[in-house]
Coordinates of all heavy atoms in Angstrom, one line a residue:
L8 N 69.6 101.7 73.2 CA 70.8 101.4 74.0 C 70.5 101.2 75.4 O 71.1 100.3 76.0 CB 71.8 102.6 73.8 CG 73.1 102.5 74.5 CD1 73.9 101.4 73.8 CD2 73.9 103.8 74.4
K9 N 69.6 102.0 76.0 CA 69.3 101.8 77.4 C 68.6 100.4 77.7 O 69.0 99.8 78.6 CB 68.3 102.9 77.8 CG 67.8 102.8 79.2 CD 68.7 103.4 80.2 CE 68.0 103.6 81.6 NZ 68.7 102.8 82.6
S10 N 67.8 100.0 76.8 CA 67.1 98.7 77.0 C 68.2 97.5 76.8 O 68.1 96.5 77.5 CB 66.0 98.5 76.0 OG 66.5 98.5 74.6
Q11 N 69.2 97.7 76.0 CA 70.2 96.7 75.9 C 71.0 96.6 77.2 O 71.3 95.5 77.6 CB 71.2 97.0 74.7 CG 70.6 96.8 73.3 CD 71.6 97.2 72.3 OE1 72.5 98.0 72.5 NE2 71.4 96.7 71.1
L12 N 71.3 97.7 77.7 CA 72.1 97.7 79.0 C 71.2 97.1 80.1 O 71.8 96.4 80.9 CB 72.5 99.2 79.4 CG 73.4 99.3 80.5 CD1 74.7 98.5 80.3 CD2 73.8 100.8 80.7
D13 N 69.9 97.4 80.1 CA 69.1 96.8 81.1 C 69.0 95.3 81.0 O 69.1 94.6 82.0 CB 67.6 97.4 81.0 CG 67.6 98.8 81.4 OD1 68.5 99.3 82.2 OD2 66.6 99.5 81.0
R14 N 68.9 94.8 79.7 CA 68.8 93.4 79.5 C 70.1 92.7 79.9 O 70.1 91.7 80.6 CB 68.6 93.1 78.0 CG 67.2 92.6 77.7 CD 67.0 92.3 76.3 NE 67.0 93.5 75.6 CZ 67.5 93.8 74.4 NH1 68.1 92.8 73.8 NH2 67.5 94.9 73.8
R15 N 71.3 93.3 79.6 CA 72.6 92.8 80.0 C 72.7 92.7 81.5 O 73.3 91.8 82.1 CB 73.7 93.5 79.3 CG 73.9 93.2 77.9 CD 75.2 93.7 77.3 NE 75.1 95.2 77.2 CZ 76.1 96.0 76.9 NH1 77.2 95.5 76.7 NH2 75.9 97.3 76.9
S16 N 72.2 93.8 82.1 CA 72.3 93.8 83.6 C 71.5 92.7 84.2 O 71.9 92.1 85.2 CB 71.9 95.2 84.1 OG 72.7 96.2 83.7
Q17 N 70.3 92.5 83.7 CA 69.4 91.5 84.3 C 70.0 90.1 84.1 O 69.8 89.2 84.9 CB 68.1 91.5 83.6 CG 67.3 92.8 84.0 CD 66.0 92.9 83.2 OE1 65.7 92.1 82.3 NE2 65.2 93.9 83.5
N18 N 70.7 89.9 82.9 CA 71.2 88.6 82.6 C 72.7 88.3 83.1 O 73.2 87.3 82.9 CB 71.2 88.3 81.1 CG 69.8 88.3 80.6 OD1 68.9 87.9 81.3 ND2 69.6 88.8 79.3
A19 N 73.2 89.3 83.7 CA 74.7 89.3 84.1 C 74.9 88.2 85.2 O 74.0 88.0 86.1 CB 75.1 90.6 84.6
N20 N 76.0 87.6 85.2 CA 76.4 86.7 86.2 C 76.8 87.5 87.5 O 77.7 88.4 87.4 CB 77.6 85.9 85.7 CG 78.1 84.9 86.7 OD1 77.8 84.9 87.9 ND2 78.9 83.9 86.2
P21 N 76.2 87.3 88.6 CA 76.5 88.0 89.8 C 78.0 87.9 90.3 O 78.5 88.7 91.0 CB 75.5 87.5 90.8 CG 75.0 86.2 90.3 CD 75.2 86.3 88.8
D22 N 78.6 86.8 89.9 CA 80.0 86.6 90.3 C 81.0 87.2 89.3 O 82.2 87.1 89.6 CB 80.3 85.1 90.4 CG 79.4 84.4 91.5 OD1 79.1 85.1 92.5 OD2 79.0 83.2 91.3
D23 N 80.6 87.8 88.2 CA 81.5 88.4 87.3 C 82.1 89.7 87.9 O 81.4 90.6 88.3 CB 80.7 88.8 86.0 CG 81.6 89.2 84.9 OD1 82.8 89.5 85.1 OD2 81.1 89.4 83.7
P24 N 83.4 89.8 87.9 CA 84.1 90.9 88.6 C 84.0 92.2 87.7 O 84.4 93.3 88.2 CB 85.5 90.4 88.8 CG 85.7 89.4 87.7 CD 84.4 88.8 87.5
H25 N 83.6 92.1 86.4 CA 83.6 93.2 85.5 C 82.3 93.9 85.4 O 81.2 93.2 85.4 CB 84.1 92.8 84.1 CG 85.4 92.1 84.1 ND1 86.6 92.8 84.3 CD2 85.7 90.8 84.0 CE1 87.6 91.9 84.3 NE2 87.1 90.7 84.1
R26 N 82.2 95.2 85.4 CA 81.0 95.9 85.4 C 80.4 95.8 84.0 O 81.1 95.8 83.0 CB 81.2 97.4 85.6 CG 81.7 97.7 87.0 CD 82.0 99.1 87.3 NE 82.0 100.0 86.1 CZ 81.7 101.2 86.0 NH1 81.3 101.8 87.1 NH2 81.7 102.0 84.9
V27 N 79.0 95.6 83.9 CA 78.3 95.5 82.7 C 78.6 96.7 81.8 O 78.7 96.6 80.6 CB 76.8 95.3 82.9 CG1 76.0 95.3 81.6 CG2 76.6 94.0 83.7
E28 N 78.7 97.9 82.4 CA 78.8 99.2 81.6 C 80.2 99.2 80.9 O 80.3 99.9 79.9 CB 78.7 100.4 82.6 CG 77.4 100.5 83.2 CD 77.3 99.7 84.5 OE1 78.3 99.3 85.1 OE2 76.1 99.4 84.9
D29 N 81.2 98.4 81.4 CA 82.5 98.5 80.8 C 82.7 97.5 79.7 O 83.7 97.5 79.0 CB 83.6 98.2 81.9 CG 83.6 99.3 82.9 OD1 83.2 100.4 82.6 OD2 84.1 99.0 84.0
K30 N 81.7 96.6 79.4 CA 81.8 95.6 78.4 C 81.4 96.1 77.1 O 80.6 97.0 77.0 CB 81.0 94.4 78.8 CG 81.5 93.7 80.0 CD 80.7 92.5 80.3 CE 81.3 91.8 81.6 NZ 80.7 90.6 81.9
R31 N 82.0 95.6 76.0 CA 81.7 95.9 74.6 C 81.1 94.7 73.9 O 81.4 93.6 74.3 CB 83.0 96.4 73.9 CG 83.6 97.6 74.6 CD 82.8 98.9 74.4 NE 83.3 100.0 75.0 CZ 83.0 100.5 76.2 NH1 82.0 99.9 76.9 NH2 83.5 101.5 76.7
S32 N 80.4 95.0 72.8 CA 79.8 93.9 72.1 C 80.9 93.1 71.4 O 82.0 93.6 71.1 CB 78.9 94.4 71.0 OG 79.6 95.1 70.0
H33 N 80.6 91.9 71.1 CA 81.5 90.9 70.4 C 82.0 91.5 69.0 O 83.1 91.3 68.6 CB 80.9 89.6 70.2 CG 81.8 88.5 69.7 ND1 82.8 88.0 70.4 CD2 81.8 88.0 68.5 CE1 83.4 87.1 69.7 NE2 82.8 87.1 68.5
G34 N 81.1 92.2 68.4 CA 81.4 92.8 67.1 C 82.4 93.9 67.1 O 83.0 94.2 66.1
R35 N 82.7 94.4 68.3 CA 83.7 95.5 68.4 C 85.0 95.0 68.9 O 85.9 95.8 69.2 CB 83.1 96.6 69.3 CG 82.0 97.4 68.8 CD 81.8 98.8 69.3 NE 82.9 99.4 70.1 CZ 83.8 100.2 69.6 NH1 83.9 100.4 68.3 NH2 84.8 100.7 70.4
R36 N 85.2 93.7 68.9 CA 86.5 93.2 69.5 C 87.7 93.7 68.8 O 88.7 93.9 69.5 CB 86.4 91.7 69.7 CG 86.4 91.0 68.4 CD 86.3 89.5 68.6 NE 86.2 88.9 67.3 CZ 86.1 87.6 67.1 NH1 85.9 86.8 68.1 NH2 86.0 87.1 65.9
A37 N 87.7 93.8 67.5 CA 88.9 94.2 66.8 C 89.2 95.7 67.1 O 90.4 96.0 67.3 CB 88.7 94.1 65.3
A38 N 88.2 96.5 67.2 CA 88.4 97.9 67.6 C 88.9 98.0 69.0 O 89.8 98.9 69.3 CB 87.1 98.7 67.4
V39 N 88.4 97.3 69.9 CA 88.8 97.3 71.3 C 90.3 96.8 71.4 O 91.1 97.4 72.1 CB 87.9 96.4 72.2 CG1 88.5 96.3 73.6 CG2 86.5 97.1 72.3
F40 N 90.6 95.8 70.6 CA 92.0 95.3 70.7 C 93.0 96.3 70.0 O 94.1 96.5 70.5 CB 92.1 93.9 70.0 CG 93.4 93.2 70.2 CD1 94.0 93.0 71.4 CD2 94.2 92.8 69.1 CE1 95.2 92.4 71.6 CE2 95.4 92.2 69.2 CZ 95.9 92.0 70.5
A41 N 92.5 96.9 68.9 CA 93.4 98.0 68.3 C 93.6 99.1 69.3 O 94.8 99.6 69.4 CB 92.7 98.5 67.0
E42 N 92.6 99.5 70.0 CA 92.8 100.6 71.0 C 93.8 100.1 72.1 O 94.7 100.9 72.5 CB 91.5 100.9 71.7 CG 90.5 101.6 70.9 CD 89.1 101.7 71.5 OE1 89.0 101.6 72.8 OE2 88.1 101.9 70.8
F43 N 93.7 98.9 72.5 CA 94.6 98.3 73.5 C 96.1 98.3 73.0 O 97.0 98.8 73.7 CB 94.2 96.9 73.9 CG 95.2 96.2 74.7 CD1 95.4 96.5 76.1 CD2 96.0 95.2 74.1 CE1 96.3 95.8 76.8 CE2 96.9 94.5 74.9 CZ 97.1 94.8 76.2
I44 N 96.3 97.8 71.7 CA 97.6 97.8 71.1 C 98.2 99.2 71.1 O 99.4 99.4 71.4 CB 97.5 97.2 69.7 CG1 97.2 95.7 69.8 CG2 98.8 97.4 69.0 CD1 96.9 95.0 68.5
C45 N 97.4 100.2 70.7 CA 97.9 101.5 70.5 C 98.3 102.1 71.9 O 99.2 102.9 72.0 CB 96.9 102.4 69.8 SG 96.7 102.0 68.1
S46 N 97.5 101.8 72.9 CA 97.8 102.3 74.3 C 99.0 101.7 74.8 O 99.8 102.3 75.6 CB 96.6 102.1 75.2 OG 96.4 100.7 75.5
I47 N 99.3 100.5 74.5 CA 100.5 99.8 75.0 C 101.8 100.2 74.3 O 102.8 100.5 74.9 CB 100.3 98.2 75.0 CG1 99.2 97.8 75.9 CG2 101.6 97.5 75.3 CD1 99.4 98.0 77.4
F48 N 101.7 100.2 73.0 CA 102.9 100.4 72.1 C 103.1 101.8 71.6 O 104.2 102.2 71.1 CB 103.0 99.4 71.0 CG 103.0 98.0 71.4 CD1 101.9 97.2 71.4 CD2 104.2 97.4 71.9 CE1 102.0 95.9 71.8 CE2 104.3 96.1 72.4 CZ 103.2 95.3 72.3
G49 N 102.0 102.6 71.7 CA 102.1 104.0 71.2 C 101.8 104.1 69.7 O 102.4 103.4 68.9
L50 N 100.9 105.0 69.4 CA 100.5 105.2 68.0 C 101.6 105.5 67.1 O 101.8 105.0 66.0 CB 99.4 106.2 67.9 CG 98.8 106.5 66.6 CD1 98.1 105.3 66.0 CD2 97.8 107.7 66.6
E51 N 102.5 106.5 67.5 CA 103.6 106.9 66.7 C 104.6 105.8 66.3 O 105.0 105.6 65.2 CB 104.3 108.1 67.3 CG 103.5 109.4 67.4 CD 102.5 109.3 68.6 OE1 102.7 108.5 69.6 OE2 101.6 110.1 68.6
D52 N 104.9 105.0 67.4 CA 105.8 103.9 67.1 C 105.2 102.9 66.2 O 105.9 102.3 65.3 CB 106.2 103.2 68.5 CG 107.2 104.1 69.3 OD1 107.8 105.0 68.7 OD2 107.3 103.8 70.5
L53 N 103.9 102.6 66.4 CA 103.3 101.6 65.5 C 103.2 102.1 64.0 O 103.4 101.4 63.1 CB 101.9 101.3 66.0 CG 101.9 100.5 67.3 CD1 100.4 100.4 67.9 CD2 102.4 99.1 67.1
Q54 N 102.9 103.4 63.9 CA 102.9 104.0 62.5 C 104.2 103.9 61.9 O 104.3 103.8 60.6 CB 102.4 105.4 62.6 CG 100.9 105.5 62.9 CD 100.4 107.0 63.2 OE1 101.2 107.8 63.6 NE2 99.2 107.2 62.9
R55 N 105.3 104.1 62.6 CA 106.7 104.0 62.0 C 107.0 102.5 61.7 O 107.6 102.2 60.7 CB 107.7 104.5 63.0 CG 108.0 106.0 62.9 CD 109.2 106.4 63.6 NE 109.2 106.0 65.0 CZ 108.6 106.8 66.0 NH1 108.1 107.9 65.7 NH2 108.7 106.3 67.2
G56 N 106.7 101.6 62.6 CA 107.2 100.2 62.5 C 106.2 99.3 61.8 O 106.6 98.3 61.2
G57 N 104.9 99.5 62.0 CA 103.9 98.6 61.4 C 103.6 97.4 62.3 O 104.2 97.2 63.4
V58 N 102.7 96.6 61.8 CA 102.2 95.4 62.6 C 102.0 94.3 61.6 O 101.6 94.4 60.5 CB 100.8 95.7 63.2 CG1 100.2 94.5 63.8 CG2 100.9 96.8 64.3
V59 N 102.4 93.1 62.1 CA 102.1 91.8 61.4 C 101.0 91.1 62.2 O 101.2 90.8 63.3 CB 103.4 90.9 61.3 CG1 103.1 89.6 60.6 CG2 104.5 91.7 60.5
D60 N 99.9 90.9 61.5 CA 98.8 90.2 62.1 C 98.8 88.8 61.7 O 98.4 88.4 60.6 CB 97.5 90.9 61.7 CG 96.2 90.4 62.3 OD1 96.3 89.5 63.2 OD2 95.1 90.9 62.0
V61 N 99.3 87.9 62.5 CA 99.4 86.5 62.2 C 98.0 85.8 62.5 O 97.4 86.0 63.6 CB 100.5 85.8 63.1 CG1 100.6 84.3 62.8 CG2 101.8 86.5 62.8
A62 N 97.6 85.0 61.6 CA 96.3 84.4 61.7 C 95.2 85.4 61.7 O 94.3 85.4 62.5 CB 96.2 83.4 62.8
G63 N 95.3 86.4 60.8 CA 94.5 87.6 60.8 C 93.1 87.4 60.3 O 92.2 88.3 60.3
G64 N 92.8 86.2 59.8 CA 91.4 85.9 59.3 C 90.9 86.9 58.3 O 91.5 87.1 57.2
R65 N 89.7 87.5 58.6 CA 89.1 88.4 57.7 C 89.7 89.8 57.7 O 89.2 90.6 56.9 CB 87.6 88.5 58.0 CG 86.9 87.2 57.8 CD 85.4 87.3 58.1 NE 85.2 87.6 59.6 CZ 84.1 87.8 60.1 NH1 83.0 87.7 59.5 NH2 84.0 88.1 61.4
G66 N 90.7 90.0 58.5 CA 91.4 91.3 58.4 C 90.8 92.4 59.2 O 91.0 93.6 58.9
E67 N 89.9 92.1 60.1 CA 89.2 93.1 60.9 C 90.2 94.0 61.7 O 90.1 95.2 61.8 CB 88.2 92.5 61.8 CG 87.0 91.8 61.1 CD 86.2 90.9 61.9 OE1 86.7 90.3 62.9 OE2 85.0 90.9 61.7
L68 N 91.2 93.3 62.4 CA 92.2 94.1 63.1 C 93.0 94.9 62.2 O 93.3 96.1 62.5 CB 93.0 93.1 64.0 CG 94.1 93.8 64.8 CD1 93.6 94.8 65.8 CD2 95.0 92.8 65.5
A69 N 93.4 94.4 61.1 CA 94.2 95.1 60.1 C 93.5 96.3 59.6 O 94.0 97.4 59.4 CB 94.7 94.2 59.0
F70 N 92.2 96.2 59.4 CA 91.4 97.3 59.0 C 91.4 98.4 60.0 O 91.6 99.6 59.7 CB 89.9 96.9 58.7 CG 89.0 98.0 58.3 CD1 89.0 98.5 57.0 CD2 88.2 98.6 59.3 CE1 88.1 99.5 56.7 CE2 87.4 99.6 59.0 CZ 87.3 100.1 57.7
E71 N 91.1 98.0 61.3 CA 91.1 99.0 62.4 C 92.4 99.7 62.5 O 92.5 100.9 62.7 CB 90.8 98.3 63.7 CG 89.4 97.8 63.8 CD 88.4 98.9 64.0 OE1 88.7 100.0 64.5 OE2 87.2 98.8 63.6
L72 N 93.5 99.0 62.3 CA 94.8 99.6 62.5 C 95.2 100.4 61.2 O 95.7 101.6 61.3 CB 95.9 98.6 62.7 CG 95.8 97.8 64.1 CD1 96.8 96.7 64.1 CD2 96.0 98.8 65.2
S73 N 95.1 99.9 60.0 CA 95.6 100.6 58.8 C 94.7 101.7 58.4 O 95.1 102.8 58.0 CB 95.8 99.5 57.7 OG 94.6 98.9 57.3
V74 N 93.4 101.4 58.3 CA 92.5 102.4 57.7 C 92.1 103.5 58.8 O 92.2 104.7 58.5 CB 91.2 101.8 57.2 CG1 90.2 102.8 56.8 CG2 91.5 100.8 56.1
K75 N 91.8 103.1 60.0 CA 91.4 104.1 61.0 C 92.6 104.8 61.7 O 92.4 105.9 62.2 CB 90.5 103.4 62.0 CG 89.2 103.0 61.3 CD 88.2 102.5 62.4 CE 86.9 102.1 61.8 NZ 85.9 101.6 62.8
R76 N 93.7 104.1 61.8 CA 94.8 104.7 62.5 C 96.1 104.9 61.7 O 97.1 105.3 62.2 CB 95.1 103.8 63.8 CG 94.0 103.8 64.8 CD 94.1 102.7 65.8 NE 93.1 102.8 66.8 CZ 91.9 102.2 66.6 NH1 91.6 101.5 65.5 NH2 91.0 102.3 67.5
R77 N 96.1 104.5 60.4 CA 97.2 104.7 59.5 C 98.5 104.0 60.0 O 99.6 104.5 59.9 CB 97.5 106.2 59.3 CG 96.3 106.9 58.6 CD 96.7 108.3 58.2 NE 95.6 109.0 57.6 CZ 95.1 108.9 56.4 NH1 95.6 108.0 55.6 NH2 94.0 109.6 56.0
I78 N 98.3 102.8 60.5 CA 99.4 101.9 60.9 C 99.5 100.9 59.8 O 98.6 100.1 59.5 CB 99.1 101.2 62.2 CG1 98.9 102.3 63.3 CG2 100.2 100.2 62.6 CD1 98.4 101.7 64.6
P79 N 100.7 100.8 59.2 CA 101.0 99.7 58.1 C 100.8 98.3 58.7 O 101.3 98.0 59.8 CB 102.4 99.9 57.7 CG 102.9 101.2 58.3 CD 101.9 101.6 59.4
C80 N 100.0 97.5 58.0 CA 99.8 96.1 58.5 C 100.0 95.1 57.4 O 99.7 95.4 56.2 CB 98.3 96.0 58.9 SG 97.9 96.9 60.4
I81 N 100.5 94.0 57.8 CA 100.6 92.8 56.9 C 99.8 91.7 57.6 O 100.0 91.4 58.8 CB 102.1 92.4 56.8 CG1 102.8 93.5 56.0 CG2 102.1 91.0 56.0 CD1 104.3 93.2 56.0
V82 N 98.9 91.1 56.9 CA 98.0 90.0 57.4 C 98.6 88.7 56.9 O 98.8 88.5 55.7 CB 96.6 90.1 57.0 CG1 95.8 88.9 57.5 CG2 96.0 91.4 57.6
V83 N 99.0 87.8 57.8 CA 99.4 86.5 57.4 C 98.4 85.5 57.9 O 98.1 85.4 59.1 CB 100.8 86.2 58.1 CG1 101.3 84.8 57.8 CG2 101.8 87.2 57.8
D84 N 97.8 84.8 56.9 CA 96.8 83.8 57.2 C 96.9 82.6 56.2 O 97.0 82.9 55.0 CB 95.4 84.4 57.1 CG 94.3 83.6 57.8 OD1 93.8 82.6 57.2 OD2 94.0 83.9 59.0
P85 N 96.8 81.4 56.7 CA 97.0 80.3 55.8 C 95.9 80.0 54.8 O 96.1 79.2 53.9 CB 97.2 79.1 56.7 CG 96.4 79.5 57.9 CD 96.6 81.0 58.1
R86 N 94.8 80.7 54.9 CA 93.7 80.4 53.9 C 94.0 81.0 52.6 O 94.3 82.0 52.2 CB 92.4 81.0 54.5 CG 92.0 80.2 55.7 CD 90.6 80.6 56.2 NE 90.8 81.1 57.5 CZ 89.9 81.8 58.1 NH1 88.9 82.2 57.6 NH2 90.2 82.2 59.4

């Protein structure tokens, strides 16, 4: 983990306003977005009302919300 942070720090754009330590890997984007949604709308309200994930693709966000946070989800994807 330390070496990854060192590598990211060395390769970071000096004009980037965001700290390297605050960034998350691309693979965690669904988890990060689920955390954001819960912080904005409230876990209890989301658990009562549910979420519709439009263009949900492989269902990564729905997994984060439904399995890990017990929020009902419907994934709508044209595929």
Side-chain angles (χ1 to χ4, degrees):
L8 183 65
K9 176 85 168 118
S10 62
Q11 287 177 340
L12 188 56
D13 290 341
R14 255 184 288 140
R15 284 191 290 173
S16 295
Q17 290 173 355
N18 295 328
N20 181 344
D22 297 327
D23 189 349
H25 305 286
R26 297 176 346 148
V27 173
E28 298 84 20
D29 294 338
K30 294 184 178 184
R31 301 290 178 259
S32 71
H33 185 72
R35 290 205 15 94
R36 67 182 175 185
V39 170
F40 190 53
E42 290 172 18
F43 170 75
I44 291 171
C45 291
S46 71
I47 295 297
F48 297 103
L50 181 61
E51 294 81 17
D52 287 343
L53 291 170
Q54 288 172 332
R55 270 193 306 275
V58 171
V59 176
D60 185 2
V61 178
R65 295 182 296 180
E67 294 166 324
L68 178 60
F70 176 82
E71 289 289 332
L72 294 172
S73 64
V74 174
K75 294 187 176 179
R76 293 168 179 85
R77 300 190 181 281
I78 298 170
C80 288
I81 296 173
V82 176
V83 179
D84 197 276
R86 290 186 241 162

